[in-house]
Structures are given as structure tokens and as C-alpha cells.
């Protein structure tokens, strides 16, 4: 984790050294070890250095060779392969920095260079000969890259605040993003809360020149390829090989390294694998960081954390998560945007403890669920293909393993794939179905006080209409709806959905506050491609989801963790934290003084949700809706926005 900034004046204006220096200084938290700028007339690049890998200790950025200059926030994992392909064997490998590898790759392959890189990266290269700025971001968006462009200038940075150091960059609310935020919609991977401040999407390259911006994808997952191996054991062995390498290459460090340990399959697999690697290399004890819950005990995972720690070779550290407010005001400064992730306060508390222990790198198990896939859509395939015996066997196991009713599960599939197609064929049956649905809806409306609110419940209807949110939501949700019948399509959707790069960006900025670099073994390109390619029966077997991983981790994970069913629901602790620490602020911001957000929200609905919440009679999503509205209001206040800052919409 480092910080990058840059300016390219397309109109030939000369770079102001002081302004470029301010851009570098405002992200000083991203790199306390070194800082520098490079200027060539109308182009300027800046860098903040956080030393993490052994090679980074030798790195000087921005870095120039001949007509090329680079600034980069990068960790390259296929170093040996690149050193060979780029014919850099005359140099000791430990003396070749990652930014030098990227620049050499650009010299050899030009615009195709990102296709040859493995790892996490965001970089910009000024090509003086071609008079272009070449930018690229890694495959999944681990490293952030924000930018602003106009006819006069192109400005970029690791964080939005750096871009706003230039007075010519407008600072105006993007109402469309506010709408997306309030309905939890993240499919747009370019949008931010500011008009004209954009994100470079994952797996994209961008060429900036006086002729304009050329933006294109350099890689995407292959949804048609299916890997066929000879046995379950071969799939498990391949998973273990790729996963071990994904962990190993992310352990390259010149400083102490630790792991998140929640007790779930993902963090436990990373921790146990990292401990095993350290043991084989005769290395040091592995620090682990866990959230524990003494007051809200239903969230506590020590029953699964402790068997991992019992393997030895680890030094545990804990955060008492139910004694912390979920609302951290300083996050507004570091995130630049309203906070969506309601559990980020847990991560932030862990980062603080890790910093106190001298740890600079944390291996995080973020969303291994999506990489490995639960494989539940494979059950849809079985029903579609009338393989009812196989489906029944899977459902029996699933019901047992995850504590569901077998008969309710079976009825859902029988109705959807046998009865419903018949009903759709005949008009009389369709009419009967609609009558039954109407009666059922009326009964549940009057008897079920806990029914789920509609997606627009907390929104101002005028705001919804003004920004065309209903149509936008329908268009963006089509990606989800098209993915549900086919196992591989659903798996691809879980990997490619916009919430992934958004969450990675949020985690990056939260960790940067404490000089921590996060690394995500489950978001290794090689591992992701393998998991997507395995057949459905390797993802779910006898009702056990994520089967290829469970088999692959045999002998590495404690059996209590390897064969655990679900995972702890952290919502009770979040609700406890809001009620215990933030009830007064909820009432002040959302009930007594809701002027800042009345343009966007239905304040009456918010008041009702608030009173249900404090009386602990809340409906589903009440606390989450209150959380989003509260964070939006506090961000607007922190950013000193008023309603006059909103863009004017004219008929």
C-alpha cells in the first residue's frame, strides 16, 4: 500500500510544484517512509512510499528510464516469470523492484503489459515519446485509482482528497450515486459521490492523450471453460496447490506480517496455511487478529478460533467488538465518501491493534465465499435437467448440514420447476395464481408486522423520479437476474459484481489510516480462474457447499472449522452498538434535524424505522437503512455540503 498522484495538463499549462506537493502531502498516511514528485512541463507525478516487500526498500518513485516515468502502488507476484521474459537475468532478482518490472513490461509489450502482470497494482506511466499517460488497475480492483478529466486537465490519485487539491477540480455532489447508495446498488464500477470524479474499473487500462481518453478492459473471466480432472482428490490437490501459492506470494515482506482470524473457513484457511509456510521455512510466530464478543455472545466465534490457535506457532490478539461504536467519525476523512460497510469498525479496530504490534501487512480472507462459491445454483441445474434423485440427495444433506427444513427446500424446487411452468401454460390457472397471491399479500400485510420493506421505503419519491432510479435499478439488476439458473453464471456474477471493488477500496483506505497494507489470497487471479472452472459437483456435494475447498484443506484446517456449517451473524452486535453508543446521535440527525437528507430520503419512514429500532420491534433492514441515512447525513455535514451543492436538474 502506497499512494500515487498525477496531473497532465492537456492544454500545455505548466505543473505547479506546490500544488503537486500538496497532493502528495494530503495522502501522507499512505506512505510515511518516503515521498517525491517528478515534473516535466505539463506532466507531474507524485508518490508516497510504504515499505512492505524487501524490494520496496530499494524503490525510488516516481522512477524514470529514458522517455518513460512511472508512479505505482503495486505488488507484483510473478516476478521470476517476468524477470525471465524481460531478460533481466543479469541483475540479482532481489535488486529488481516491482515498479522496474512494470516499466520493463511496458517497454516490451506496450499497452498489453497489464495482461502479463499478476498481483495487485495501480500505476501510471508517462510516455514522453508518444505523449500519452498510460494507466492500469489490477484484475479485481484491490488497489484504488480515482481520476478527473476535462478538456484542460487529467488528474488522478489513490484517494479522492488528493484530486481536490487542485482548485480547478469541481467539488459537486453526484445525486445518482446517492440514490445507488441508499438502495445498496454497486454495479456501476466507475461512479463516485462526486460529479466528474470517476474510478478506473478493475482489469482496465486507460490511455490519456490530447486526443482524449481511451478506456478498455484487458482481461475478463472465461465463463465457458470447464476443467475436467480425474477424481475428487485431483481437484482438491489443485486447489491446495493454488491456494498455498496465493498465500505464499502475499507473504513476501520486509516487516512483520499478520492474519485476520474470524473463525470462518476463509480466514482460518489463510492463517493455517501461512503458519504452515512459516513453520516449513523456520520462520517466526504468526500474529493473528480476531474480534470477540463477550456481551453479544451469539456473535462470538471463539469455538472455531481456538482450535486454529491450538495448532501452535501463533500469537493471538483480540478486539472486544461489542464494546465499540460502529460509527467512527475519522473514517469520513479517510474514506472521502459515506460509509456503507457496517462491520468496518471491527476491521478498523483490528488495524489499530496490528499497528501497535508493528505489523505492516495483514492477510485478509475477504469474501472467499465468492471465489470458491457455495455452488447452490448447481441445485437449479439438477432440477432443470429433471435429475430429481440427485437433487433430493443434495437437499437432504444441505438441510442437515445447515439446519434447514428438507421438505420446505424440496417444495421450492418442485413448485418452481414442475408446477409453475404448468400454471404459466393455462390462463385459468394463471388467474387462480394471481387471486391467491393477492389474498396472501393482504393477509400477510395485516398479520405480519415484520414483513420486509420495499427497496424504496426510505427514499424521497421525488428524488427517485428525478434521477430515474427505478429504471437505473432495473437496468443494473439485469446482470443479477440473468445469472441465477446456471451454476457457473451465478458464480461469475458473485465475482464480477460491483460491490467487490467498492469493498476493496473501502478496506484499503481504512487500513491506510494505520499504515497497513491488506493482501487478499482469495483474490488471486490463478485461484479465481480455477474455482470458476471446476464443475458444479465439486462446489456442492451431499449438501456440503464449497466442497473443493473443504477437501483441499484436509489436514491443514482443524476439523471443527473444515466441516462447520454456516457462519456467525454479526448483525446483533452491530444493532447493540448502535443502540448503546449512537442512539442519541441517531435521534439528533435523523429525527430532530434531518434537513441535510430530506431531499433524498422519506423522513417519515426514517422516523418510523427509528422508533421501531429503539423499541427493538424493528423490521428487516431497519437498522441498515438507518445506518445508511445516518452516514449520508454525517458525510454531508463533514464535507460541508448544502443542498445548493446538488446539481440542478432542469426540465
Amino acid at each position: 500500500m502506497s499512494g500515487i498522484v498525477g496531473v497532465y495538463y492537456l492544454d500545455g499549462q505548466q505543473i505547479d510544484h506546490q500544488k503537486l506537493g500538496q497532493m502528495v502531502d494530503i495522502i501522507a498516511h499512505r506512505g510515511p517512509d518516503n515521498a517525491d514528485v517528478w515534473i516535466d512541463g505539463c506532466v507531474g507525478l507524485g508518490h508516497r512510499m510504504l515499505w512492505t516487500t524487501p524490494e520496496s526498500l530499494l524503490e525510488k518513485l516516481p522512477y524514470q528510464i529514458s522517455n518513460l516515468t512511472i508512479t505505482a502502488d503495486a505488488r507484483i507476484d510473478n516476478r521470476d516469470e517476468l524477470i525471465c521474459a524481460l531478460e533481466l537475468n543479469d541483475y540479482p532478482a532481489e535488486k529488481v523492484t516491482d515498479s522496474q518490472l512494470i516499466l520493463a513490461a511496458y517497454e516490451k509489450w506496450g499497452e498489453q503489459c497489464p495482461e502479463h502482470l499478476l498481483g495487485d497494482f495501480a500505476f501510471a506511466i508517462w510516455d514522453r515519446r508518444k505523449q500519452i499517460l498510460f494507466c492500469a488497475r489490477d484484475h479485481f480492483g484491490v488497489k484504488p485509482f480515482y481520476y478527473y478529466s476535462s478538456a484542460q486537465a487529467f488528474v488522478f490519485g489513490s484517494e479522492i482528497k488528493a484530486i481536490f487539491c487542485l482548485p480547478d477540480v469541481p467539488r459537486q455532489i453526484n445525486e445518482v450515486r446517492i440514490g445507488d447508495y441508499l438502495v445498496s446498488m454497486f454495479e456501476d464500477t466507475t461512479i463516485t459521490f462526486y460529479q466528474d470524479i470517476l474510478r478506473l474499473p478493475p482489469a482496465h487500462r486507460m490511455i490519456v492523450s490530447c486526443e482524449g481518453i481511451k478506456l478498455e478492459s484487458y482481461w475478463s473471466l472465461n465463463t465457458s471453460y470447464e476443467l475436467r480432472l480425474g477424481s475428487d482428490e485431483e481437484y482438491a490437490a489443485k486447489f491446495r496447490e493454488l491456494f498455498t501459492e496465493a498465500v505464499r506470494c502475499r507473504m513476501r515482506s520486509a516487516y512483520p506480517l499478520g492474519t485476520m482470524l474470524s473463525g470462518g473457513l476463509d480466514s482460518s484457511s489463510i492463517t493455517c496455511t501461512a503458519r504452515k509456510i512459516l513453520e516449513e521455512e523456520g520462520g517466526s510466530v504468526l500474529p493473528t487478529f480476531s474480534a470477540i464478543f463477550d456481551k453479544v455472545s451469539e456473535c462470538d466465534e471463539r469455538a472455531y478460533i481456538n482450535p486454529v490457535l491450538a495448532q501452535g506457532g501463533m500469537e493471538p490478539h483480540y478486539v472486544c467488538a461489542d464494546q465499540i461504536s460502529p460509527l467512527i467519525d475519522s473514517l469520513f476523512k479517510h474514506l472521502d465518501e459515506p460509509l456503507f460497510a457496517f462491520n468496518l469498525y471491527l476491521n478498523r479496530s483490528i488495524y489499530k491493534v496490528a499497528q501497535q504490534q508493528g505489523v505492516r501487512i495483514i492477510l485478509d480472507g475477504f469474501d472467499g465465499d465468492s471465489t470458491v462459491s457455495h455452488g447452490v445454483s448447481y441445485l437449479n441445474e439438477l432440477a432443470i435437467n429433471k435429475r430429481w434423485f440427485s437433487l433430493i440427495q443434495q437437499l437432504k444433506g444441505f438441510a442437515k448440514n445447515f439446519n434447514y427444513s428438507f421438505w420446505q427446500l424440496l417444495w421450492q424446487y418442485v413448485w418452481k420447476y414442475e408446477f409453475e411452468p404448468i400454471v404459466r401454460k393455462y390462463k385459468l390457472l394463471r388467474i387462480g395464481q394471481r387471486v391467491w397471491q393477492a389474498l396472501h399479500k393482504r393477509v400477510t400485510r395485516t398479520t405480519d408486522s415484520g414483513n420486509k420493506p420495499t427497496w424504496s421505503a426510505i427514499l424521497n419519491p421525488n428524488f427517485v423520479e428525478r434521477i430515474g432510479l427505478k429504471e437505473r435499478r432495473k437496468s443494473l439488476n439485469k446482470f443479477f437476474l440473468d445469472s441465477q439458473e446456471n451454476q457457473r453464471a451465478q458464480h461469475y456474477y458473485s465475482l464480477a459484481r460491483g460491490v467487490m471493488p467498492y469493498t476493496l477500496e473501502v478496506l484499503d483506505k481504512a487500513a491506510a489510516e494505520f499504515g497497513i497494507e491488506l493482501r487478499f489470497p482469495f483474490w488471486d487471479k490463478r485461484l479465481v480462474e480455477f474455482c470458476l472452472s471446476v464443475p458444479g459437483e465439486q462446489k456442492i456435494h451431499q449438501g456440503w457447499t464449497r466442497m473443493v475447498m473443504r477437501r483441499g484443506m484436509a489436514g491443514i484446517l482443524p476439523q471443527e472449522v473444515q466441516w462447520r456449517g454456516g457462519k456467525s451473524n454479526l448483525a446483533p452486535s452491530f444493532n447493540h452498538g448502535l443502540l448503546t453508543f449512537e442512539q442519541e446521535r441517531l435521534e439528533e440527525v435523523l429525527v430532530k434535524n434531518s434537513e441535510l437528507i430530506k431531499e433524498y430520503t422519506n423522513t417519515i419512514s426514517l422516523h418510523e424505522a427509528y422508533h421501531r429500532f429503539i423499541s427493538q420491534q424493528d423490521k428487516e433492514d431497519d437498522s441498515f437503512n438507518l445506518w445508511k441515512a445516518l452516514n449520508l447525513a454525517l458525510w454531508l455535514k463533514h464535507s460541508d455540503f448544502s443542498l445548493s451543492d446538488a446539481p440542478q436538474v432542469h426540465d
Side-chain angles (χ1 to χ4, degrees):
M1 186 276 300
S2 292
I4 61 174
V5 300
V7 183
Y8 175 19
Y9 282 121
L10 304 169
D11 60 2
Q13 181 183 161
Q14 299 296 290
I15 296 294
D16 183 326
H17 189 284
Q18 183 179 2
K19 292 296 182 188
L20 186 61
Q22 288 174 359
M23 294 177 69
V24 172
D25 289 344
I26 204 168
I27 57 169
H29 54 281
R30 297 189 67 87
D33 296 319
N34 206 350
D36 206 355
V37 298
W38 171 91
I39 295 174
D40 183 13
C42 62
V43 180
L45 303 177
H47 191 266
R48 271 285 174 182
M49 175 65 71
L50 178 74
W51 289 328
T52 53
T53 66
E55 297 79 18
S56 70
L57 302 177
L58 307 173
E59 210 154 21
K60 301 293 183 183
L61 286 165
Y63 172 70
Q64 183 179 15
I65 294 181
S66 185
N67 289 312
L68 302 176
T69 309
I70 184 173
T71 187
D73 177 13
R75 187 201 70 256
I76 302 302
D77 292 334
N78 57 331
R79 289 176 49 84
D80 293 342
E81 173 191 330
L82 286 173
I83 287 171
C84 181
L86 297 169
E87 300 178 349
L88 298 175
N89 306 84
D90 294 340
Y91 302 88
E94 65 273 13
K95 300 291 185 182
V96 180
T97 67
D98 288 348
S99 56
Q100 288 173 325
L101 284 176
I102 296 171
L103 207 54
Y106 178 79
E107 285 188 289
K108 182 177 179 66
W109 295 301
E111 297 172 16
Q112 284 69 50
C113 69
E115 300 164 29
H116 298 269
L117 305 176
L118 286 177
D120 305 331
F121 53 83
F123 64 83
I125 297 172
W126 171 245
D127 188 329
R128 186 176 185 183
R129 184 176 61 83
K130 294 182 179 180
Q131 291 289 291
I132 64 170
L133 189 68
F134 180 80
C135 311
R137 191 176 179 198
D138 61 69
H139 302 82
F140 301 107
V142 174
K143 300 292 188 180
F145 190 105
Y146 298 92
Y147 69 95
Y148 163 81
S149 66
S150 69
Q152 291 76 40
F154 177 86
V155 190
F156 70 87
S158 296
E159 297 184 13
I160 294 173
K161 61 177 66 68
I163 297 173
F164 284 138
C165 286
L166 294 191
D168 294 337
V169 176
R171 186 169 169 273
Q172 192 174 57
I173 292 174
N174 185 349
E175 286 197 325
V176 173
R177 181 65 184 93
I178 288 178
D180 286 358
Y181 170 80
L182 290 173
V183 297
S184 307
M185 188 164 63
F186 297 94
E187 297 316 312
D188 189 335
T189 55
T190 65
I191 199 169
T192 74
F193 279 85
Y194 301 91
Q195 290 278 81
D196 301 321
I197 304 293
L198 301 173
R199 300 141 70 205
L200 180 60
H204 275 66
R205 55 181 162 232
M206 178 166 54
I207 300 168
V208 185
S209 70
C210 290
E211 297 176 0
I213 291 179
K214 177 185 174 185
L215 178 67
E216 61 184 10
S217 172
Y218 64 80
W219 171 84
S220 62
L221 286 162
N222 184 347
T223 58
S224 61
Y225 173 65
E226 181 167 281
L227 177 67
R228 283 291 172 183
L229 299 178
S231 66
D232 295 341
E233 290 71 25
E234 288 184 55
Y235 284 108
K238 187 63 176 176
F239 177 90
R240 184 164 54 250
E241 173 193 335
L242 290 172
F243 182 73
T244 301
E245 179 56 27
V247 174
R248 185 191 308 277
C249 68
R250 285 165 177 78
M251 294 176 68
R252 195 172 103 243
S253 176
Y255 288 86
L257 169 147
T259 65
M260 303 286 268
L261 178 58
S262 69
L265 270 174
D266 302 328
S267 66
S268 299
S269 294
I270 291 171
T271 298
C272 291
T273 301
R275 182 204 64 85
K276 188 171 184 290
I277 291 170
L278 286 175
E279 186 179 57
E280 291 169 353
E281 296 176 351
S284 56
V285 170
L286 177 68
T288 66
F289 300 94
S290 306
I292 57 174
F293 304 82
D294 290 325
K295 294 184 177 180
V296 190
S297 58
E298 63 264 42
C299 298
D300 198 67
E301 292 274 70
R302 274 174 281 191
Y304 301 102
I305 293 171
N306 289 339
V308 172
L309 296 174
Q311 294 183 333
M314 289 167 269
E315 180 184 274
H317 302 276
Y318 301 100
V319 168
C320 296
D322 49 12
Q323 299 175 33
I324 307 169
S325 168
L327 191 61
I328 309 295
D329 290 291
S330 67
L331 279 172
F332 294 112
K333 172 185 173 183
H334 289 279
L335 298 184
D336 297 322
E337 299 181 288
L339 174 60
F340 178 86
F342 70 92
N343 280 331
L344 189 62
Y345 73 104
L346 303 180
N347 297 66
R348 183 185 179 277
S349 300
I350 284 173
Y351 304 153
K352 185 175 182 179
V353 172
Q355 182 191 48
Q356 292 166 353
Q357 298 301 316
V359 167
R360 282 202 175 192
I361 295 162
I362 293 180
L363 302 185
D364 190 311
F366 167 64
D367 217 14
D369 289 16
S370 293
T371 292
V372 180
S373 176
H374 291 276
V376 175
S377 287
Y378 179 62
L379 305 180
N380 296 340
E381 290 186 22
L382 293 177
I384 290 169
N385 294 316
K386 310 298 183 185
R387 296 173 58 188
W388 289 105
F389 178 76
S390 296
L391 177 63
I392 287 171
Q393 297 304 112
Q394 293 281 8
L395 291 178
K396 282 182 177 179
F398 190 88
K400 178 182 177 182
N401 300 336
F402 298 96
N403 197 29
Y404 283 93
S405 163
F406 164 71
W407 293 108
Q408 286 183 355
L409 290 173
L410 180 61
W411 169 247
Q412 291 175 13
Y413 286 92
V414 171
W415 168 257
K416 183 174 181 179
Y417 295 102
E418 289 293 334
F419 292 161
E420 198 168 50
I422 296 172
V423 169
R424 285 199 298 265
K425 277 185 179 181
Y426 300 102
K427 184 176 180 179
L428 188 60
L429 291 177
R430 291 199 304 272
I431 293 171
Q433 183 188 23
R434 285 197 293 269
V435 170
W436 183 87
Q437 288 173 339
L439 290 172
H440 178 73
K441 187 175 181 180
R442 175 173 292 185
V443 170
T444 54
R445 184 185 297 134
T446 57
T447 60
D448 182 10
S449 60
N451 60 305
K452 186 176 181 178
T454 63
W455 66 269
S456 59
I458 66 164
L459 296 175
N460 183 327
N462 294 329
F463 172 60
V464 171
E465 184 176 353
R466 185 169 75 246
I467 67 171
L469 185 58
K470 191 175 295 185
E471 294 75 18
R472 176 175 172 80
R473 184 174 182 272
K474 183 178 180 181
S475 172
L476 291 176
N477 278 350
K478 187 176 186 303
F479 182 28
F480 167 75
L481 296 172
D482 290 345
S483 71
Q484 295 308 294
E485 297 302 315
N486 177 275
Q487 173 271 134
R488 186 162 286 109
Q490 195 280 330
H491 191 172
Y492 170 75
Y493 166 77
S494 70
L495 293 164
R497 56 195 172 137
V499 72
M500 294 305 173
Y502 166 79
T503 307
L504 290 167
E505 290 158 6
V506 169
L507 291 172
D508 174 274
K509 287 180 281 188
E513 179 183 355
F514 300 98
I516 300 288
E517 178 176 285
L518 300 178
R519 298 179 182 175
F520 305 94
F522 280 100
W523 292 93
D524 184 283
K525 175 176 175 284
R526 298 159 293 187
L527 181 65
V528 170
E529 289 177 329
F530 166 78
C531 289
L532 181 63
S533 72
V534 302
E537 60 267 21
Q538 291 297 322
K539 296 171 184 175
I540 185 168
H541 178 72
Q542 294 183 348
W544 283 111
T545 61
R546 310 180 70 189
M547 194 62 184
V548 68
M549 178 178 173
R550 294 181 194 270
R551 289 175 176 145
M553 288 292 102
I556 298 174
L557 275 179
Q559 287 199 353
E560 300 97 314
V561 180
Q562 181 189 5
W563 297 107
R564 69 174 298 186
K567 62 175 69 175
S568 177
N569 176 14
L570 299 183
S573 180
F574 170 73
N575 292 345
H576 165 79
L578 271 186
L579 283 169
T580 304
F581 302 106
E582 301 297 344
Q583 182 174 333
E584 184 176 334
R585 187 144 50 160
L586 277 170
E587 183 169 359
E588 175 62 32
V589 174
L590 300 183
V591 179
K592 295 180 180 178
N593 187 17
S594 56
E595 290 296 309
L596 276 173
I597 57 172
K598 71 176 183 180
E599 188 79 6
Y600 311 116
T601 62
N602 183 331
T603 53
I604 294 176
S605 292
L606 280 178
H607 296 172
E608 292 173 349
Y610 167 75
H611 290 296
R612 287 194 299 266
F613 179 65
I614 63 171
S615 63
Q616 299 188 42
Q617 297 178 346
D618 47 311
K619 297 181 181 179
E620 186 176 353
D621 288 344
D622 270 351
S623 61
F624 199 28
N625 285 334
L626 292 171
W627 169 253
K628 288 185 290 185
L630 176 63
N631 275 276
L632 175 61
L634 293 174
W635 171 73
L636 290 168
K637 183 178 180 181
H638 172 83
S639 304
D640 196 26
F641 279 124
S642 64
L643 294 178
S644 61
D645 293 305
Q648 300 301 307
V649 179
H650 302 284
D651 295 331

